[in-house]
Amino acid sequence: KGKNVRLEVAVDITKQEFISQSARERLEFADKMVGYMNTLSATPDYNDAVNRVLASLGDFYQADRAYLFEPSPVHSGCWNKTYEWCALNTSSELKNLQDIPPEAIQRWMDIFDEEKSVIILNLVPLKAQSPLEWQNLSVQGIQRLISVPIRENGKTIAFLGVDNPRYCIHDDSQLRVLAAFLLTRMRQDQNEHRYQMFYDESNLELLSALNVGFWTLDIDKKTDIRQMIFDDTMCRILSAPELASPGDRYEYMFSRVQNKYRENVKSAFINMIDNNRIVQVEFPWEHPSQGEIKLRLSGLLIENTAHR
């Protein structure tokens, strides 16, 4: 009607923004997965590898803590927090969360048995539904969390989680994939440990069969008190008294070295201490039942202090 008017149009872009954010999160997710795989495969030390991926996980979720729980080796059914990463100005709960009784996390275990994740977006409803769980979480300052199981052969052998995530708070996929990677690394570490134990045990049996024993000589520089510790093979070779003290064993060992060879033995030990190198000395030794036998001692300086 001859008047100037202004037309304003508003468009709801919530769905588009959600799709855009989801796309960004997925791209970041892919980048993180590559980093997790590289860390777990390229870091030789298992403890270091776990701590690194937890730090990366906590940073991705912008969480207060990232953690790993494993069964207690002492108390059956209980759980220990074995690894933990904390954000700046966030208190650690590692020492407080040891030997968690099964009833305190039974709800979680039931969820894990269904191959699902524990996702808490609001702690308040738990006060009535699960008061013990609410109390344990509220004491730690937790308002929301995501936790996923690490399962093998139908059993939960560990679980991984983040406290108070501020990014991707509905998304457990990052944790899920990491749990699968971590299971592989855990099994690798356990297999290597078993192999090393088997290797060490086999070596000890072989050395025992070859009559090779281990000894430690301790010399106090102030008092000149000298003591020796023998392993079982050394005791057997020398027929050393089982209940003898370390001081008595030193006397037993060197009192049976012939006088003309004692200087050679002494020089070998001085050389070992002064030059910090492996030395070897061979000499006759008076065995209590076999008479004169030939011993070969090899040694390396372990520690050289002001007192020892």
Side-chain angles (χ1 to χ4, degrees):
K1 297 181 180 181
K3 296 180 180 180
N4 292 326
V5 297
R6 183 177 65 187
L7 177 65
E8 292 182 355
V9 180
V11 180
D12 185 355
I13 62 170
T14 302
K15 184 176 181 180
Q16 288 88 336
E17 280 296 305
F18 177 78
I19 293 173
S20 176
Q21 180 180 348
S22 178
R24 287 196 303 271
E25 290 175 355
R26 288 183 181 277
L27 287 173
E28 292 179 10
F29 171 86
D31 288 339
K32 283 292 182 182
M33 285 303 104
V34 174
Y36 294 153
M37 286 189 292
N38 289 338
T39 299
L40 288 173
S41 61
T43 307
D45 183 74
Y46 173 74
N47 296 331
D48 189 25
V50 174
N51 285 323
R52 287 190 184 188
V53 295
L54 286 183
S56 183
L57 184 72
D59 182 65
F60 175 81
Y61 278 98
Q62 299 176 24
D64 287 346
R65 304 180 191 91
Y67 54 81
L68 177 68
F69 273 85
E70 297 176 273
S72 168
V74 178
H75 300 105
S76 178
C78 295
W79 291 80
N80 293 342
K81 179 183 269 192
T82 51
Y83 296 88
E84 180 188 61
W85 169 87
C86 294
L88 191 64
N89 299 323
T90 300
S91 62
S92 171
E93 294 291 336
L94 188 65
K95 293 182 179 179
N96 300 329
L97 296 175
Q98 303 296 312
D99 289 325
I100 304 300
E103 58 270 18
I105 54 173
Q106 187 57 53
R107 189 180 76 88
W108 290 32
M109 293 297 111
D110 293 340
I111 294 173
F112 291 158
D113 286 341
E114 296 177 3
E115 303 284 351
K116 295 179 181 179
S117 303
V118 174
I119 300 179
I120 299 174
L121 300 177
N122 185 0
L123 196 64
V124 175
L126 278 179
K127 190 171 185 178
Q129 299 169 10
S130 183
L132 180 58
E133 181 182 347
W134 173 84
Q135 181 180 3
N136 290 336
L137 296 178
S138 60
V139 166
Q140 302 173 57
I142 298 172
Q143 294 301 318
R144 57 188 174 277
L145 62 79
I146 307 173
S147 189
V148 304
I150 299 176
R151 291 176 61 82
E152 185 178 48
N153 299 325
K155 295 182 179 181
T156 300
I157 64 167
F159 58 91
L160 189 69
V162 289
D163 293 340
N164 295 330
R166 297 170 181 82
Y167 184 66
C168 292
I169 62 174
H170 300 86
D171 188 1
D172 66 346
S173 55
Q174 187 100 185
L175 283 155
R176 283 277 183 180
V177 176
L178 177 55
F181 292 161
L182 193 54
L183 174 61
T184 301
R185 180 59 198 264
M186 289 168 71
R187 287 292 160 257
Q188 176 189 340
D189 188 70
Q190 289 178 0
N191 290 336
E192 289 176 354
H193 182 66
R194 290 192 189 103
Y195 174 78
Q196 188 62 47
M197 288 180 63
F198 173 76
Y199 179 78
D200 292 343
E201 186 174 343
S202 299
N203 275 349
L204 288 175
E205 290 178 356
L206 176 61
L207 291 172
S208 179
L210 294 173
N211 285 334
V212 177
F214 290 92
W215 54 271
T216 301
L217 172 64
D218 182 270
I219 302 175
D220 190 308
K221 293 179 180 178
K222 288 187 174 181
T223 63
D224 200 38
I225 293 176
R226 305 183 179 204
Q227 303 181 93
M228 290 194 80
I229 298 174
F230 298 157
D231 71 349
D232 292 342
T233 303
M234 195 74 171
C235 285
R236 176 178 58 79
I237 294 171
L238 302 180
S239 292
E242 293 183 4
L243 300 180
S245 68
D248 290 339
R249 286 188 174 176
Y250 173 83
E251 291 298 327
Y252 178 83
M253 173 70 192
F254 285 98
S255 66
R256 294 177 176 273
V257 178
Q258 295 181 16
N259 290 333
K260 60 181 178 180
Y261 293 102
R262 288 185 182 180
E263 195 60 35
N264 292 344
V265 176
K266 182 180 178 181
S267 297
F269 282 104
I270 292 174
N271 186 27
M272 178 181 69
I273 295 170
D274 290 345
N275 299 312
N276 195 20
R277 55 183 293 182
I278 296 175
V279 299
Q280 189 173 93
V281 59
E282 190 173 293
F283 53 90
W285 190 79
E286 192 66 29
H287 192 278
S289 60
Q290 300 177 29
E292 185 178 296
I293 64 173
K294 184 171 288 187
L295 285 184
R296 179 184 295 121
L297 289 185
S298 299
L300 175 66
L301 181 66
I302 298 175
E303 184 180 20
N304 190 5
T305 67
H307 304 293
R308 300 283 176 178

